Amino acid sequence: MRVDSRTLPLVPLLLGPVGALQLPLLGGSSSASQAPIAADKPLISSPLLQEQVKAENLMQRARQLYKIAELGEGEYNHPTRVIGSKGHLGTLDYIYSTLTNLGDYYTVSNQSFPAVTGNVFESRLVLGHTVPESATAMSLTPPTKHKEPVYGQLVAVANLGCDASDYPSDLDGAIAFISRGQCPFGTKSELAGKAGAVAAVIYNNEKGDMSGTLGTPSPDHVATFGLSDTDAAPFLEQLHKGEKVDGIAYVDAIVESISTTNIIAQTTGGDPDNCVMLGGHSDSVGEGPGINDDGSGSLTLLELATLLTEFRVNNCVRFAWWAAEEEGLLGSDYYVSVLTAAENKKIRLFMDYDMLASPNFAYQVYNATNALNPVGSEELRDLYVEFYEAHDLNYTFIPFDGRSDYDAFIRNGIPGGGIATGAEGVKTVTEQGMFGGVAGEWYDPCYHQLCDTVANLNLTAWEWNTKLVAHSIATYAKSFDGFPKRVEETSISSFAEEPKYHGPFLRQ
Ligand code: DPN
Ligand code: ZN
């Protein structure tokens, strides 16, 4: 069975030469026609699939992925697999060719969609006589004029800067100083630009540093920085006293619209009306190679897609490698948004696998309950729990708050869940007792950084989690007995509330 091509706008992957890796310029979908659909193979078995999972094979893929990330060096001066880079095109090429080499076991599709991408090459903010340490150019910020430093006075914006009337009339040529809160950073930057500011600084109204994204570009956006509450305090005081603060802002950055691609592989065998779907994201951030985020999840999927071919499945298994997750879950959003109601219903559940091998890991299970999410999410959550318990492994629940690609699914009535091992969160003392590692440090000290390399993987966590992903695939590929049916009247709107996050960046 093929993915219904009417529901997926399929276009060829337009990959240029990326080193030794070269994807044949195929159409959107590929699978040999003379399929002896695995009828002679043994029925999928969780223990047998898990048995095939080997840390060394995962590591070999990780080393290969790092080499692919190095293709991004020409443009970015360091390894990266950010969308639009050769490192990402190479990643797509690697995934696609690995899958099509598996012959007729899968129908492989690619789905292109528009995405906005940005890159901050250099930035600097000077306020008075200081260079505030916490100042960070926001993601998707435009550059300062002519990519040169701009000079202006720092001018405080009233209230939370969500209304045009909060912006003083003397903002022409100034640097707007705006509190975080109530509305998106993009709105504040736009209003500052409209009022004539040459740059904007948004300071935290909570404790801590602040980085975020401006989101969808606007011609009125100005170069925008985030600043911590403590770095902002002395300047607020000076402005409050009526003292003048001179500023210099400099951002060299680009924001551009490109086309990027999701890759979908569906088993040709199994009931196509009842699919278990799972996904990881193929892209990294521009700052680094993303071998844990989400090389780990992507490679777990690729390895298991390969191992699965030794088995026959009763239900269809659909793998996804999303693009532009790091730009705000764009690939998974797009995929779900173009599903017809009938195609939506064929997906019995979606399992998200993003960051499975954090060096200072915790075994984290999304706390996806049926009370707040489509029914079935909790059964999936419990499958993960039972696995960890059965193997005497500790686990913790983490919020199911929209930070990864499951979000579009649950908001459109499809049960979802997943596991992770942690990003920029800090390990607690209790968790050190449960998982080892170091309390007080990030689960992934290289999260979204250059050091997210092959050395940034915990192999024990990766192997166990890959076994668990194998178990999740095997369980549902074999049977949906006892798993709730998709409810006819799924009140999609009841899950459509704005989640806390939508992807990795703070938006407001
Ligand atoms: N994997 C992170 C990213 O793509 O930036 C998002 C994330 C962080 C997901 C923490 C879950 C938990
Ligand atoms: Zn991720």
Short mmCIF file of all heavy atoms in Angstrom, two decimals, residues 281 283 292-294 325-326 354-355 403-405 447-448 504, ligand 2:
data_model
loop_
_atom_site.label_atom_id
_atom_site.label_comp_id
_atom_site.label_asym_id
_atom_site.label_seq_id
_atom_site.Cartn_x
_atom_site.Cartn_y
_atom_site.Cartn_z
N HIS A 281 13.27 14.36 14.27
CA HIS A 281 13.50 15.44 13.30
C HIS A 281 14.88 15.37 12.68
O HIS A 281 15.87 15.13 13.37
CB HIS A 281 13.16 16.82 13.86
CG HIS A 281 13.97 17.31 15.02
ND1 HIS A 281 15.12 18.05 14.86
CD2 HIS A 281 13.78 17.20 16.36
CE1 HIS A 281 15.59 18.37 16.06
NE2 HIS A 281 14.80 17.86 16.99
N ASP A 283 16.55 17.76 11.13
CA ASP A 283 17.35 18.98 11.14
C ASP A 283 17.98 19.25 12.50
O ASP A 283 17.51 18.76 13.53
CB ASP A 283 16.48 20.18 10.74
CG ASP A 283 15.31 20.41 11.71
OD1 ASP A 283 14.62 19.43 12.05
OD2 ASP A 283 15.12 21.56 12.16
N ASN A 292 22.96 14.56 19.15
CA ASN A 292 21.93 14.08 20.08
C ASN A 292 20.55 14.65 19.70
O ASN A 292 19.55 13.95 19.73
CB ASN A 292 22.30 14.45 21.53
CG ASN A 292 21.29 13.92 22.53
OD1 ASN A 292 20.75 12.82 22.35
ND2 ASN A 292 21.01 14.69 23.58
N ASP A 293 20.52 15.94 19.36
CA ASP A 293 19.26 16.63 19.01
C ASP A 293 19.19 16.93 17.52
O ASP A 293 19.71 17.93 17.07
CB ASP A 293 19.17 17.93 19.81
CG ASP A 293 17.87 18.67 19.56
OD1 ASP A 293 16.97 18.09 18.94
OD2 ASP A 293 17.77 19.84 19.96
N ASP A 294 18.55 16.16 16.75
CA ASP A 294 17.92 14.91 17.09
C ASP A 294 18.51 13.79 16.24
O ASP A 294 17.78 12.94 15.74
CB ASP A 294 16.40 15.03 16.92
CG ASP A 294 15.67 13.75 17.31
OD1 ASP A 294 16.18 13.03 18.17
OD2 ASP A 294 14.64 13.44 16.71
N GLU A 325 11.99 21.30 12.45
CA GLU A 325 11.50 21.26 13.84
C GLU A 325 12.07 22.44 14.60
O GLU A 325 11.40 23.10 15.39
CB GLU A 325 11.92 19.94 14.50
CG GLU A 325 11.29 19.70 15.87
CD GLU A 325 12.09 20.26 17.06
OE1 GLU A 325 13.18 20.81 16.84
OE2 GLU A 325 11.61 20.15 18.20
N GLU A 326 13.35 22.71 14.35
CA GLU A 326 14.04 23.76 15.11
C GLU A 326 13.55 25.16 14.75
O GLU A 326 13.83 26.11 15.47
CB GLU A 326 15.56 23.65 14.88
CG GLU A 326 16.17 22.32 15.31
CD GLU A 326 16.21 22.12 16.83
OE1 GLU A 326 15.64 22.94 17.55
OE2 GLU A 326 16.82 21.13 17.27
N ASP A 354 12.59 12.41 20.21
CA ASP A 354 13.46 13.57 20.06
C ASP A 354 14.41 13.63 21.25
O ASP A 354 13.97 13.88 22.38
CB ASP A 354 12.57 14.82 20.00
CG ASP A 354 13.33 16.09 19.70
OD1 ASP A 354 14.55 16.02 19.49
OD2 ASP A 354 12.69 17.16 19.66
N MET A 355 15.69 13.39 21.01
CA MET A 355 16.75 13.42 22.03
C MET A 355 16.68 12.18 22.94
O MET A 355 16.14 12.23 24.04
CB MET A 355 16.71 14.70 22.88
CG MET A 355 16.78 15.96 22.04
SD MET A 355 16.85 17.46 23.02
CE MET A 355 18.51 17.42 23.65
N ARG A 403 6.68 21.08 23.09
CA ARG A 403 8.04 21.42 22.67
C ARG A 403 8.57 20.59 21.51
O ARG A 403 9.66 20.85 21.02
CB ARG A 403 9.02 21.33 23.84
CG ARG A 403 9.08 22.62 24.59
CD ARG A 403 10.24 22.68 25.53
NE ARG A 403 11.52 22.87 24.86
CZ ARG A 403 12.66 23.00 25.51
NH1 ARG A 403 12.67 22.96 26.81
NH2 ARG A 403 13.78 23.16 24.86
N SER A 404 7.84 19.60 21.10
CA SER A 404 8.37 18.82 19.97
C SER A 404 7.23 18.45 19.01
O SER A 404 6.09 18.90 19.17
CB SER A 404 9.15 17.61 20.47
OG SER A 404 9.91 17.07 19.41
N ASP A 405 7.56 17.58 18.05
CA ASP A 405 6.68 17.38 16.89
C ASP A 405 5.36 16.65 17.15
O ASP A 405 4.59 16.45 16.22
CB ASP A 405 7.46 16.63 15.81
CG ASP A 405 8.54 17.49 15.19
OD1 ASP A 405 8.21 18.56 14.68
OD2 ASP A 405 9.72 17.08 15.22
N TYR A 447 23.33 21.03 24.50
CA TYR A 447 22.06 21.31 23.82
C TYR A 447 22.18 22.56 22.94
O TYR A 447 22.58 23.62 23.42
CB TYR A 447 20.96 21.51 24.87
CG TYR A 447 19.62 21.92 24.30
CD1 TYR A 447 18.93 21.11 23.40
CD2 TYR A 447 19.04 23.14 24.65
CE1 TYR A 447 17.71 21.48 22.89
CE2 TYR A 447 17.81 23.52 24.15
CZ TYR A 447 17.15 22.69 23.26
OH TYR A 447 15.94 23.07 22.75
N HIS A 448 21.88 22.40 21.66
CA HIS A 448 21.89 23.50 20.68
C HIS A 448 23.25 24.18 20.57
O HIS A 448 23.32 25.38 20.31
CB HIS A 448 20.78 24.51 20.99
CG HIS A 448 19.43 24.00 20.56
ND1 HIS A 448 18.27 24.74 20.62
CD2 HIS A 448 19.06 22.79 20.05
CE1 HIS A 448 17.24 24.02 20.18
NE2 HIS A 448 17.69 22.83 19.85
N PRO A 504 11.16 24.66 20.07
CA PRO A 504 12.19 24.90 21.06
C PRO A 504 12.33 26.34 21.54
O PRO A 504 12.95 26.59 22.56
CB PRO A 504 13.47 24.46 20.35
CG PRO A 504 13.17 24.57 18.91
CD PRO A 504 11.71 24.34 18.75
ZN ZN B 2 14.97 18.23 19.04
#
